[in-house]
Amino acid sequence: PQSNSAATAITLSNRKQFISDGPHYDLIANIAQEEAQSIMCSEFNLEWVTICNDTKLGPDVRAMVDADHPLLLEEGENQVALQELLLSSGSGGATREEKKDEDDCCERTATTGVSTNTTKATLLIATGRGKVRAGIFSRQHLLTAGIEIGTAWHFVREARLRNWGVAVIDPNARGEGVGFDTFKRSFSRLFVADD
C-alpha cells in the first residue's frame, strides 16, 4: 500500500526519500531557515537590522534584535523617534557617526547617546560554522524535528520570560570563511558605542 506522502513526517530515516542531498537539500533548507526566522521574529517581537550592506564585501549582514534596539531607531522612518528620544534625554540631539573608511560601512560606529535597553541584560546568540543562518542551530534538525529543536527557540523564549534583550547575529552571512570577522563586526555594531 502506498503511503500518503503529504501526511508523512520527514524524519532522519526517511529524509533522503523526500529531500535529496545536494542543491535540492540546500534549497529546501534555506526556505525552512527563512520561515523559521520569520516565525521567531513574529513570536518574540524581533526585527531585522542591517549591520552592513556594502556589496563590495559580499551579501548584506543582518541580525535579529529587539524592536527597541538603538540601531533600529537609526534606520529610516525611525530616525524621527530617535531624535525625539535624544532631545527628551537632554543630549541636545547630538548624533555622531564616525567612519574609519568611507567605503566600508561595517566599520562605521553610530553613537546616539541613548539606548532604550541599556539596563536590560541581553542574550547574544550566534550560530556555528557552515550553512546555518541567524538563529538556526541545525538545518537537518530543523527539517526533521522542527523549529523548537533546530533553532534558538528555547533560548529566545527563556530570555523573554526573564525580560532580557535578544540579539541573534549571523556569522555565516558572507560564508564560513569570514565568519569570525563577520561576528566581530556584528558584535561591535550592535553593542559597542565607541571604538
Side-chain angles (χ1 to χ4, degrees), residues 85-121:
L85 281 171
L86 290 170
L87 292 172
S88 67
S89 70
S91 70
T95 299
R96 175 175 55 98
E97 287 192 23
E98 296 175 349
K99 283 188 174 181
K100 289 181 181 175
D101 180 353
E102 202 64 31
D103 294 327
D104 187 357
C105 70
C106 295
E107 294 293 330
R108 183 175 56 235
T109 302
T111 304
T112 61
V114 65
S115 172
T116 57
N117 60 6
T118 55
T119 60
K120 188 181 349 178

Side-chain angles (χ1 to χ4, degrees), residues 161-173:
L161 291 173
R162 290 168 171 77
N163 198 31
W164 292 356
V166 175
V168 185
I169 54 181
D170 189 1
N172 299 319

Side-chain angles (χ1 to χ4, degrees), residues 51-85:
I51 303 296
C52 180
N53 60 0
D54 188 339
T55 56
K56 290 182 268 180
L57 297 174
D60 288 357
V61 176
R62 301 183 317 151
M64 293 186 292
V65 297
D66 293 312
D68 68 346
H69 192 282
L71 282 180
L72 286 172
L73 294 175
E74 291 175 9
E75 291 185 345
E77 63 191 44
N78 293 322
Q79 271 188 319
V80 173
L82 176 63
Q83 290 302 321
E84 289 174 5
L85 281 171

Side-chain angles (χ1 to χ4, degrees), residues 127-133 139 170-183:
T127 56
R129 293 179 53 171
K131 296 182 180 180
V132 292
R133 302 303 297 269
R139 297 184 322 159
D170 189 1
N172 299 319
R174 293 191 169 140
E176 66 179 282
V178 293
F180 186 62
D181 184 55
T182 304
F183 175 86

